[in-house]
Amino acid sequence: MPPNTTATTGDKPGKSGRKKGRKARLIVLVLVLAIIGGVAYGAYWSISTVRASFPQTTGTITLQGLSGPVDVKRDGNGIPQIYASSDEDLFMAQGFVQAQDRFYEMDVRRHMTSGRLSEMFGKGQVKNDEFLRTLGWDRIAKEEYDTKLSDSTKKYLDAYAKGVNAYLQGKDGKDISLEYAALGFTNDYEPAKWTPVDSVSWLKAMAWDLRGNMQDEIDRALMTSRLGPQQIEDLYPEYPYSRNKPIVQEGQYSDVAKTFQQGGATNGSQGATGTTGSSTSSTAGSALTSQLAGLYKVLGDVPTAVGVNGQGIGSNSWVVAGKYTITGKPLLANDPHLSASLPSVWYQMGLHCRTVSSKCQYDVTGYTFAGMPGVIIGHNAGIAWGMTNSGVDVTDLYLEKLSGNGYLYDGKVRPFKSREETIKVAGGKSKTIVVRQTADGMPLLSDRDDELVQVGRKAAVNTAAPDRGDGYGIALRWTALDPGTSMDAVFALDKAANWSDFRSAAALFDVPSQNLVYASTDNHIGYTLPGRIPTRSSVDDGSIPAPGWNSKYRWTGFIKQDELPYEYDPARGYIVTANQAVVDKDKYPYTLTTDWGYGARSQRITDLIESKIKGTGKISTDDMRQMQLDNSSEIAKLLVPKLLKINLDDKNVREAQKLLEGWDYTQDADSAAAAYFNSVWRNILKLAFGNKLPKELRVKGQCLWVDKIDSTGPVDDDTKVRECGQRDADQAQPDGGDRWFEVVRTLMDKPDSDWWKTPKSGTRPEANNRDQLFARAMTDARWELTAKLGKDIDTWSWGRLHRLFLKNQTLGTEGPEFLQYVLNRGPWKLSGGEATVNATGWNAAGGYGVVWVPSMRMVVNLKDLDKSKWINLTGASGHAYSAHYTDQTSKWVKGELLPWSFSDKAVDASTSDTLVLKP
């Protein structure tokens, strides 16, 4: 055994079911035989290689650094509950146990956050590392650790790192994970020790994927090359406040809001949203368009941490007061919508002090991130909380006028700050880059792509912009590039005992800004919006990139925490957050964002709650679970009645049209009607909007003949050019989300709008109005599904189109084919869809495959915490062929939840394996 680590009993994986063990051995044997039979590497592999990294889950292990014994109790799904007598022991054990199950995942994450992926995976990751080094997440994390975080938080981070390193001590890569054994064929990489900063950096990666409207800023600017201001406004309609209610309806925003509502002004007030920053596009012209197109390419290649590169991020959470529940105490539900990954981004765990005291303060359970101490979402003995992405605008892009090694600012040239970064490359030469920042700390993102630099030098601008000179660049202002206190917030939330504690803890959660819902065992519910949210001057609303040479476009400050919206025990008896507007813009003095989600999910959840209250009057834990699985399509309710009225000549298309007759708009996996409708929806979007967007927003490989444009706009001589899309399928537009629901809804009463017009294509006739375009889309959908699913519509089903593949996020996507087979799982046929409560998201521009999912689901019962329920997308283990690699996935697909033990009695009853860690 490794030094300082002694197994005294049970040095085999635990006893959680002999049948599972036999099954796992058979699977491993088949795997090894397959590899040996078909791959040159095979002789190296063996059952012992595959199983070497499986964690010890029974017996005793001695760890230097513990002050007392720690019990690790795992249930039949491998979910650990840790019991200790001091805070440091608790978090040291958390680090050890998470490393047992997930160290490879943790190691990849820290290499991503520090821009060191090339050290593991070679030259193919150099570009990503260059961009991530430019952002400097690990540098900011170190500054946070050194200057911002409390002493107790640093003590816990140190203990966690000590636990991870106790696990690593004396182990080779192949003893830690199968992936390291695979890397050993091409790379002599060996894992380094874990540091506290590695944990803090992970919060930066999470914040990056939840950063707000940066993609919308880019898209709006790129649209200017082909669309006019009114057309762009059509594609970004106003939020429907009267139809889809905001989160906060009865809450408070402090006296600042009262002043605003009475007609007064406040420092930083914005008024109505709009496009006050639109002068950027007119002053910078193609300089901005060309720079942003290149930037988007760079962004699209950056590995995702928890989201989908900033697009499609959503989540549901809601809480119902005790007066409307069967138990008489609140119920709280949460299901964050994130990228599908293997293993899941979440790790379920309980952290329990045997006796809660000043020495040991925690008794909390829920969802954690492997690589970070504490619980992110869950409950303790007194309160529960959930999170959804608020979507507030905390990023701005600036077009910078370059001059030598400086940039123009209010008529003067300021020098850039610069530093050198050396990127080590496995199997290759190191590369040194120079990172430039403005005086106020904004990194110049455009330096990371040679093509962007050249484009910036040559970009054409009109006379209103500064002289071209040395070109233009793109800089980023983002709240997470300032050191903050979010790590303090995690520990404060975990031990919060009441609403006051909760609000104080939330105030520390500066990045990313999240909607936090609250429920307590003493029968209260609440909501608060935390975050470091900037204020802007009246000339800029943050909706599009701004001219960096004008100081009027710089941020003016930040909203004070006591001025942010919150709500406590509203009279209506429930609170719903699903990425909709936080508060009505006419009742709040600050512009939080111009790009809310449009509220399709939130309003559907609200309607389900109110329907249940008006029916039985009481809501159960299982009712909350059923609401999470709601597959109803809001856009289908709008469109299907119109589609059924369309006269169609082709009998085969009419046959498909009849599928929609009597359909209840529910997108079940076995529904042929859902398959056909979603194909019609995809084709409506493509014909009406997609084919009219610039190439920078369209799917790669989709080529169209379009009007020629130059630096002044469209050429009037009918010249056509062939342009091919440039975006990956899961990032292209129109993606079909609830913004597009709203776009189509506002155009339904304009049947002769130019948006409904589309030219002839092959044998398909041109469309000159809405109904003609709908007929064309129904025809195209019929033959698209014929090609994909067959001519017999009786064999069609939504699940055959809408499939989930779980892929290991490194070697499972770019490794050898045999290794992808080893590491990846799927497919599963899924119900649900885009902007549905059961939000199994897909990108309508790119296809029907599942892009993001409810990454976990939970329902907390505040009357009896042991009757709470939870599920993860995959399983506790990151080890391929562990019994717990994807053991929760099939239940997740079916919408089932697992029992969630909390009390000592319930945990003991559910325990299958017990490991004792001794000092």
Side-chain angles (χ1 to χ4, degrees), residues 398-403 406-416 437-442 466 472 475 477 537 546-556:
Y398 289 88
L399 183 66
E400 299 291 350
K401 167 66 187 67
L402 306 183
S403 179
Y407 61 99
L408 191 67
Y409 189 78
D410 283 350
K412 297 181 180 180
V413 176
R414 287 186 171 185
F416 283 108
Q437 291 180 306
T438 63
D440 46 359
M442 297 194 299
Y472 292 84
R477 180 74 169 101
S537 69
W549 51 84
N550 189 336
S551 62
K552 291 181 180 179
Y553 290 86
R554 287 300 201 262
W555 292 353
T556 59

Side-chain angles (χ1 to χ4, degrees), residues 318-325 329-333 519 523 525 573-575 609 613 619 624 627:
W318 66 94
V319 60
V320 180
K323 65 180 179 180
Y324 291 132
T325 69
K329 292 288 182 74
L331 296 171
L332 183 150
N523 227 349
I525 65 172
Y574 61 84
I575 302 169
I609 292 171
I613 291 172
I619 295 173
M624 301 283 274
M627 292 177 193

Side-chain angles (χ1 to χ4, degrees), residues 324 326 609-620 623:
Y324 291 132
I326 288 176
I609 292 171
E610 291 186 345
S611 175
K612 193 70 179 177
I613 291 172
K614 291 175 183 176
T616 63
K618 300 293 180 181
I619 295 173
S620 69
D623 290 332

Side-chain angles (χ1 to χ4, degrees), residues 763-780:
T763 61
R764 302 286 194 268
E766 68 177 355
N768 291 307
N769 57 46
R770 182 196 66 200
D771 289 354
Q772 288 177 1
L773 185 139
F774 283 5
R776 168 94 172 263
M778 293 173 78
T779 301
D780 288 354

Side-chain angles (χ1 to χ4, degrees), residues 248-260:
V248 176
Q249 300 169 42
E250 306 170 34
Q252 300 179 50
Y253 332 112
S254 85
D255 290 339
V256 68
K258 297 175 185 176
T259 303
F260 176 75

Side-chain angles (χ1 to χ4, degrees), residues 687-899:
L687 294 169
F689 311 105
N691 291 348
K692 297 162 188 172
L693 295 176
K695 62 183 182 296
E696 292 88 357
L697 275 70
R698 299 202 313 269
V699 178
K700 283 180 182 176
Q702 182 197 84
C703 300
L704 300 169
W705 289 95
V706 299
D707 293 331
K708 184 178 180 180
I709 60 173
D710 60 23
S711 60
T712 62
V715 175
D716 294 329
D717 60 2
D718 294 328
T719 302
K720 298 285 185 180
V721 293
R722 191 169 184 265
E723 286 188 349
C724 298
Q726 297 180 350
R727 282 206 183 163
D728 291 338
D730 63 355
Q731 296 289 310
Q733 292 293 337
D735 61 19
D738 66 355
R739 173 165 68 89
W740 293 99
F741 290 13
E742 200 63 25
V743 169
V744 170
R745 186 187 297 276
T746 59
L747 291 171
M748 288 297 285
D749 294 330
K750 302 174 184 177
D752 297 318
S753 167
D754 285 345
W755 287 113
W756 299 127
K757 297 175 182 178
T758 192
K760 179 180 178 180
S761 177
T763 61
R764 302 286 194 268
E766 68 177 355
N768 291 307
N769 57 46
R770 182 196 66 200
D771 289 354
Q772 288 177 1
L773 185 139
F774 283 5
R776 168 94 172 263
M778 293 173 78
T779 301
D780 288 354
R782 183 7 162 160
W783 298 115
E784 180 187 8
L785 294 197
T786 296
K788 291 180 180 294
L789 303 179
K791 188 174 182 179
D792 184 359
I793 64 174
D794 290 336
T795 67
W796 291 0
S797 70
W798 177 225
R800 288 180 62 194
L801 292 171
H802 193 53
R803 298 187 299 167
L804 170 67
F805 290 86
L806 292 175
K807 294 183 178 182
N808 178 289
Q809 293 302 290
T810 55
L811 300 179
T813 57
E814 296 184 2
E817 187 174 341
F818 88 92
L819 198 56
Q820 293 188 37
Y821 175 80
V822 169
L823 297 174
N824 298 340
R825 299 292 183 271
W828 286 269
K829 299 175 181 179
L830 296 193
S831 301
E834 179 61 41
T836 301
V837 179
N838 184 19
T840 55
W842 55 287
N843 186 302
Y848 303 98
V850 176
V851 179
W852 58 86
V853 294
S855 55
M856 62 80 158
R857 298 186 184 103
M858 74 177 200
V859 179
V860 183
N861 183 328
L862 277 299
K863 172 68 173 180
D864 186 345
L865 293 169
D866 288 329
K867 292 183 178 178
S868 302
K869 304 284 186 180
W870 62 352
I871 197 77
N872 204 353
L873 173 62
T874 59
S877 179
H879 299 287
Y881 296 97
S882 162
H884 305 306
Y885 191 47
T886 56
D887 58 335
Q888 297 185 51
T889 306
S890 293
K891 290 182 173 64
W892 176 92
V893 170
K894 296 174 186 175
E896 297 176 8
L897 298 177
L898 298 173

